[in-house]
Amino acid sequence: MSKSWAIRIADENDLDAIMQIEHECFTSDAWSADSMYEELTGAEKHYIVAYREDQLIGYAGLNKLPTVHQSEVQTIAVRPSARGIGLGRDLMNQLLAEAKRADCREVFLEVRADNQVAQKLYETLGFSQIDVRKRYYQPDDVDAIVMRAEFAANTKPEPLVLGIESSCDETGVGIVRGNTLLANVISSSMDLHARFGGVVPEVAARAHLEALLPTLHEALATAKISLDEIDAIAVANGPGLAGALMVGVGAAKSLAVSLGKPVYAVNHLVGHVGVDILERGELETPTIALLVSGGHTSLLLVRNLLDDVELLGETIDDAAGEAFDKVARVLGLKYPGGPEIDKAAAQGDPNSIRFPRGLMLPKDMEKHRYDFSFSGLKTAVARHVEVLKTKGEEIPVADVAASFREAVVDVLVSKAVNACVDHNVPRLLLGGGVIANRRLREVAQQRCEEKGIELRIPALSLCTDNGAMIAAIGAQLVMAGRAPSGLAFGADSTLPVTTVQTL
Ligand code: KG4
Ligand code: ZN
């Protein structure tokens, strides 16, 4: 069975949620929020959190002493409602992997003498008892059992890769070590585009220029590394807005030259698929991927992430997110339209108006089985609103929003599920900002269950455009021994998805 949670590096924004779990788990001797903050931000500390549907359900921390090749497990906690599912073991395994990466050869921990379950678990992970500290846990007056695990010296460290993403309105810098996410910092220029009702390419490019360095510095600080430790740089060189892409490409090349490190030019869309590695450790293939955002609506068949990605279909006019943004404007709602329509639709009846489903008629399904079209739907909504206005009737915003959302979701999910069934692929991965849509998640879940398809929805911070997904692909290329890209590549606004890396 696949696990129902994902793990990422903790940061100070997790403090409140962590403290809640701390108090739930350690009723008599919880740490204070101040000490926890020190732990989360300390230089040689490595804290991770486990989450399910964007809710924290556990955390664990390691204190590394690399100069003496040792580390200590500082704490591990699993919310009572998430016990008995193997999460504690997963958290411990991740800490041990980090200890190995830091070339620690011994890991120590203390456990309450009355916690037999934990001691048994640690034994199965290679720990054995080396000491007892009498009456260590107060006020309960319980002994601490000191345990130790030993490893052989490190042979092949995983590559530390910095990823840069600037294809649309998000400036993203991510840092990964192998398959592990260390930092994912995003700066969005969305607010600057709000008054235009959509992304303005020139405004986006200028915003990238301003945001790039601060975003880079924040990512390095979050990952607790310096630039000279980086093994390789990855950058999205397409598809996307040409001027916006150029900013990231220029930055990546300058970094590569000044640091003397290799650079990998990576396909943005493949990044959306590869991001799954950061939550699961690997990408299960083959998989169908449905990528929906303000810039793209693509249906992919991924047989192999680095060598075999096929475009099954894409939008022939507007992207799905763009349709949300345009319909929101017709309804007098704010930009970006997706979240606004989602909110309004919650009170509406999705069956009140039957809006057209683009490219779903039998004749369209022959030629455009996996393609999408949203401009007819957008026009139908505009006409519906116009007719009511000329009649002097009030616009039922909630009903229109719900009916429009239902039409988009219906088409997206139907075509994605068709692709899974037709190609006999029991897996569907979602990506892009529109994945935030509540109804889309609901319908996808329901129809995938009906067909026995496993649905993967990465955390929202990894679904929207980000640098971590680009770094993840870069790390895969490095680990597969692929040659770097050289410095001749450029930004390619229409880069085909079959080109995973531009040489
Ligand atoms: O991936 P993303 O953040 O970046 C770009 O495409 O630049 O996607 C942004 C798009 C916007 O069009 C926005 O309206 C849409 O995702 N979006 C949503 C929702 N939240 C954001 N669409 C539908 N429902 C939502 N809840
Ligand atoms: Zn994207």
Side-chain angles (χ1 to χ4, degrees):
M1 211 181 78
S2 69
K3 40 179 216 188
S4 61
W5 63 86
I7 290 180
R8 63 168 167 76
I9 306 267
D11 65 35
E12 53 200 78
N13 299 322
D14 295 315
L15 182 63
D16 289 348
I18 286 180
M19 285 311 296
Q20 243 183 25
I21 302 178
E22 175 80 10
H23 285 289
E24 259 182 74
C25 293
F26 308 105
T27 39
S28 58
D29 55 357
W31 288 357
S32 69
D34 284 349
S35 332
M36 189 63 84
Y37 180 82
E38 296 284 314
E39 286 291 307
L40 291 181
T41 53
E44 293 295 350
K45 311 284 175 161
H46 177 80
Y47 271 72
I48 53 177
V49 289
Y51 58 97
R52 190 159 60 189
E53 285 160 9
D54 291 322
Q55 281 260 330
L56 287 206
I57 53 173
Y59 60 88
L62 190 75
N63 185 19
K64 294 181 280 185
L65 306 162
T67 45
V68 287
H69 297 294
Q70 293 180 343
S71 54
E72 301 160 351
V73 176
Q74 299 289 91
T75 183
I76 174 163
V78 171
R79 179 160 266 174
S81 58
R83 293 195 183 147
I85 54 173
L87 175 55
R89 171 179 295 275
D90 195 16
L91 285 166
M92 276 302 288
N93 267 326
Q94 302 256 357
L95 291 189
L96 294 178
E98 174 63 20
K100 282 185 206 165
R101 271 194 292 270
D103 204 13
C104 293
R105 310 199 183 139
E106 289 175 295
V107 180
F108 298 88
L109 61 79
E110 281 146 9
V111 55
R112 287 173 68 111
D114 57 3
N115 191 348
Q116 301 280 338
V117 177
Q119 287 167 42
K120 283 262 146 33
L121 167 66
Y122 302 150
E123 275 166 19
T124 65
L125 291 169
F127 285 88
S128 51
Q129 179 173 341
I130 54 162
D131 200 2
V132 178
R133 297 212 171 108
K134 287 283 171 206
R135 310 173 67 182
Y136 182 80
Y137 294 102
Q138 294 301 334
D140 301 353
D141 221 17
V142 171
D143 296 348
I145 308 287
V146 183
M147 302 181 91
R148 183 181 68 161
E150 265 186 292
F151 308 118
N154 226 349
T155 44
K156 192 165 170 260
E158 292 168 302
L160 187 59
V161 181
L162 177 96
I164 300 178
E165 154 62 39
S166 69
S167 67
C168 192
D169 60 340
E170 273 98 11
T171 313
V173 177
I175 299 172
V176 306
R177 194 187 297 275
N179 295 344
T180 308
L181 176 64
L182 302 187
N184 180 24
V185 180
I186 298 165
S187 159
S188 172
S189 62
M190 190 179 282
D191 293 350
L192 300 177
H193 308 288
R195 68 194 172 100
F196 304 104
V199 177
V200 183
E202 183 63 14
V203 173
R206 278 163 191 267
H208 284 306
L209 270 178
E210 282 173 22
L212 216 134
L213 272 181
T215 311
L216 172 66
H217 287 138
E218 198 184 327
L220 292 168
T222 308
K224 297 182 187 143
I225 57 158
S226 61
L227 262 183
D228 49 333
E229 288 176 69
I230 300 278
D231 296 310
I233 293 142
V235 61
N237 72 318
L241 304 170
L245 287 165
M246 268 180 227
V247 178
V249 166
K253 287 185 184 176
S254 332
L255 280 172
V257 171
S258 59
L259 298 169
K261 302 288 162 135
V263 62
Y264 289 79
V266 164
N267 190 303
H268 170 90
L269 293 176
V270 178
H272 275 298
V273 181
V275 80
D276 196 42
I277 292 171
L278 299 176
E279 291 192 333
R280 274 218 286 211
E282 62 175 313
L283 179 78
E284 280 184 81
T285 49
T287 186
I288 298 288
L290 172 68
L291 309 180
V292 269
S293 74
H296 32 257
T297 310
S298 315
L299 199 50
L300 312 179
L301 167 57
V302 184
R303 295 190 192 87
N304 178 308
L305 188 66
L306 300 187
D307 298 300
D308 192 351
V309 182
E310 183 185 339
L311 178 71
L312 296 177
E314 62 188 336
T315 180
I316 60 169
D317 39 57
D318 293 346
E322 214 177 337
F324 272 94
D325 296 336
K326 288 180 178 169
V327 164
R329 196 144 45 139
V330 167
L331 292 175
L333 302 171
K334 281 199 310 249
Y335 174 85
E340 296 293 314
I341 291 202
D342 229 7
K343 235 184 284 164
Q347 266 79 48
D349 173 5
N351 301 314
S352 56
I353 310 150
R354 175 78 194 174
F355 285 129
R357 268 72 171 152
L359 302 182
M360 288 288 281
L361 295 173
K363 69 171 174 21
D364 294 324
M365 287 297 268
E366 275 171 34
K367 220 175 122 207
H368 290 291
R369 186 163 177 79
Y370 305 121
D371 289 327
F372 303 92
S373 165
F374 297 105
S375 85
L377 169 61
K378 177 192 69 190
T379 311
V381 176
R383 198 168 297 138
H384 184 85
V385 169
E386 203 51 46
V387 169
L388 291 177
K389 270 191 189 156
T390 36
K391 285 198 219 151
E393 287 178 27
E394 202 177 312
I395 315 293
V397 173
D399 285 346
V400 176
S403 304
F404 161 75
R405 181 177 72 167
E406 201 64 15
V408 176
V409 167
D410 186 18
V411 175
L412 288 174
V413 178
S414 299
K415 296 209 173 209
V417 168
N418 279 347
C420 290
V421 173
D422 297 349
H423 294 88
N424 203 13
V425 173
R427 252 167 248 113
L428 174 61
L429 178 73
L430 304 185
V434 178
I435 301 307
N437 193 279
R438 273 192 231 127
R439 185 67 186 145
L440 176 59
R441 288 165 169 256
E442 231 171 66
V443 174
Q445 196 74 54
Q446 190 187 325
R447 298 213 200 146
C448 281
E449 255 166 47
E450 282 165 19
K451 301 275 185 206
I453 297 166
E454 185 200 351
L455 181 66
R456 287 284 305 155
I457 310 182
L460 203 54
S461 57
L462 295 175
C463 271
T464 52
D465 289 349
N466 67 83
M469 66 185 193
I470 304 304
I473 301 292
Q476 292 301 308
L477 290 167
V478 173
M479 291 190 286
R482 302 294 167 93
S485 293
L487 291 173
F489 71 90
D492 182 350
S493 59
T494 58
L495 184 69
V497 73
T498 40
T499 307
V500 176
Q501 180 195 359
T502 306
L503 282 169

